[in-house]
Amino acid sequence: MDLLNTLVDKGLRRELPTREEALAVLATSDDELLDVVAAAGKVRRQWFGRRVKLNYLVNLKSGLCPEDCSYCSQRLGSTAGILKYTWLKPDEASQSAAAGVAGGAKRVCLVASGRGPTDRDVDRVSRTIEAIKEQNEGVEVCACLGLLSAGQADKLRTAGADAYNHNLNTSEATYGEITTTHTYADRVDTVQQAQAAGLSACSGLIAGMGETDEDLVDVVYALRGLDPDSVPVNFLIPFEGTPLAKEWNLTPQRCLRILAMVRFVCPDVEVRIAGGREVHLRTMQPLALHLANSIFLGDYLTSEGQAGRTDLEMIADAGFEVEGAGTVTLPEHRADAIAAAGCGSHGDGGGGGGGCGPCGSSEAAPAPTDATETGARTDLVAVRRRGAGTDLAPNA
């Protein structure tokens, strides 16, 4: 297939595909799907071999967010039956993080609901970062706290944070249909603040919110312009109690095509399968490892993931290996650029906030009893009742 040969060649050279080529990937048929996966897999292996990086989420503060992000169970007005609690103490968060590290995670993502942190919140998270680093030598810490104010990224970096996550989520043209309490430009500004402070930028998208192929390509091209080091790809879980409750638009095949398109457009960045992996990819999760080189281990923010042991078995059975703590994730040219610049910013900006649905939009409500016949798999959605904010052991 000429298209795929062209995309592989461009990916190996880190050359940007045309928009028409990216759209063509999303338009391929199911009969061509394995060819698409094989082609994108060549690009993935060129830059990341057969390594899979494990990440672990710790939800520091859950629910009661004043933002109105339509996809999020923690949003203003949500009636989803999720866990709600205020800030975890640093030692509580560190204990939860330790479970993920023990399971093989090399990065811990600290997430808090809300529009953005106060300076007092940043001080609180800084103490948490210090506690985690003290107890887990070599672990990476990514903060995800919503929109940043001036100087806050610098404080997080000083405390030992390695990265900051803030997703663009969808295209600039349709952003106002998803969220009205902040703007797309607000999100871009926060990513750029993180980069300017020397934090590795993590920014991605949510697929399945009713967007068009053009919207998906727009947001991925905007991400390429921002040049984050990692791009999480979330797949929406539609749950009762939010405006997107009926948006069951994804199939496993569609998810694989989206991941392939992201890999072709962002060939040498860490592409992470984030929220919705189990619900939408289902038994085709192992195929997705040929496209993405990073996943979350265990549970998400407010929903349960598959068992951590199952994640590890899946990686091994698919012929991949867990990336060790001493291995540098990014290709040498990107790692060298970070070292030379002293930060995570490599590009010239471009592209486009609340923090309620950041590193994985997999916060979910109880499964409704009237599942439709349109492909909805509400039976795969379970509210997280263990780990952070509970007395039960976390899943890792």
Side-chain angles (χ1 to χ4, degrees), residues 213-238:
D213 285 0
E214 288 76 11
D215 290 323
L216 283 172
V217 170
D218 282 348
V219 69
V220 176
Y221 272 67
L223 289 166
R224 167 85 180 223
L226 276 176
D227 202 22
D229 295 315
S230 56
V231 174
V233 180
N234 298 280
F235 300 112
L236 174 75
I237 296 182

Side-chain angles (χ1 to χ4, degrees), residues 43 62 83 140 157 217 240-241 259 261 282 314 366 376:
V43 178
S62 181
L83 289 170
E140 299 175 8
R157 174 70 187 272
V217 170
E240 296 300 316
L259 287 168
M261 186 269 288
R282 302 194 286 273
M314 175 183 71

Side-chain angles (χ1 to χ4, degrees), residues 186-257:
D186 290 333
R187 287 189 169 267
V188 171
D189 178 67
T190 285
V191 175
Q192 292 174 331
Q193 283 193 54
Q195 291 174 319
L199 294 168
S200 176
C202 173
S203 188
L205 65 142
I206 303 174
M209 297 191 290
E211 71 282 340
T212 65
D213 285 0
E214 288 76 11
D215 290 323
L216 283 172
V217 170
D218 282 348
V219 69
V220 176
Y221 272 67
L223 289 166
R224 167 85 180 223
L226 276 176
D227 202 22
D229 295 315
S230 56
V231 174
V233 180
N234 298 280
F235 300 112
L236 174 75
I237 296 182
F239 41 82
E240 296 300 316
T242 70
L244 299 184
K246 305 304 180 185
E247 295 288 340
W248 285 89
N249 301 312
L250 298 171
T251 64
Q253 295 85 355
R254 171 75 168 168
C255 293
L256 290 171
R257 282 190 281 268

Side-chain angles (χ1 to χ4, degrees), residues 28-65:
T28 53
S29 69
D30 288 350
D31 286 343
E32 299 166 314
L33 182 61
L34 288 181
D35 294 328
V36 172
V37 172
K42 292 179 181 178
V43 178
R44 180 249 200 268
R45 290 192 300 277
Q46 165 72 18
W47 302 115
F48 299 96
R50 302 191 72 82
R51 295 176 283 115
V52 178
K53 181 177 180 178
L54 299 181
N55 309 267
Y56 189 70
L57 280 169
V58 178
N59 197 350
L60 296 178
K61 174 175 166 285
S62 181
L64 307 175
C65 182

